Amino acid sequence: MEDHNEKILIDFGKHVKKLRKDAGLSQDHVVANSNRLIKATVSDVENGKRNLSFTTLIDLAKGMNKHPRELLDFELDLDKEL
């Protein structure tokens, strides 16, 4: 089960990083436009090392000038992943 959760976090992180880069944003920009994120949090999320809370997801979306649903709109095979 742990491997499945790790894969989900890695896939989510890759998606977040792609969204950020496609928008031309640096991690520093995301941090500066969020309420309480630090660069290490953004990096950990993008590298699949952090299972973030709902409020952190909202703050990350704010820092990226995205709606939270855009961050959650990535390929996920629930039958295989959970």
Side-chain angles (χ1 to χ4, degrees):
M1 180 87 107
E2 189 66 33
D3 290 336
H4 296 300
N5 290 341
E6 288 175 14
K7 181 163 180 1
I8 291 168
L9 293 177
I10 289 168
D11 290 347
F12 174 72
K14 287 178 183 177
H15 173 68
V16 169
K17 185 174 187 174
K18 181 178 183 332
L19 285 176
R20 178 180 61 77
K21 287 190 167 207
D22 287 352
L25 304 175
S26 67
Q27 289 181 347
D28 290 324
H29 175 90
V30 173
V31 169
N33 288 297
S34 70
N35 290 327
R36 56 178 175 54
L37 291 179
I38 61 172
K39 193 171 180 178
T41 301
V42 177
S43 178
D44 285 351
V45 168
E46 289 184 357
N47 289 301
K49 295 179 181 176
R50 181 168 303 224
N51 190 352
L52 64 163
S53 68
F54 180 72
T55 55
T56 302
L57 173 74
I58 300 301
D59 202 24
L60 182 60
K62 179 180 187 275
M64 294 176 63
N65 303 314
K66 301 283 184 188
H67 192 282
R69 85 173 138 251
E70 292 179 74
L71 273 62
L72 295 172
D73 188 16
F74 69 104
E75 283 298 315
L76 178 64
D77 186 347
L78 293 175
D79 292 331
K80 291 183 181 179
E81 298 301 333
L82 298 177

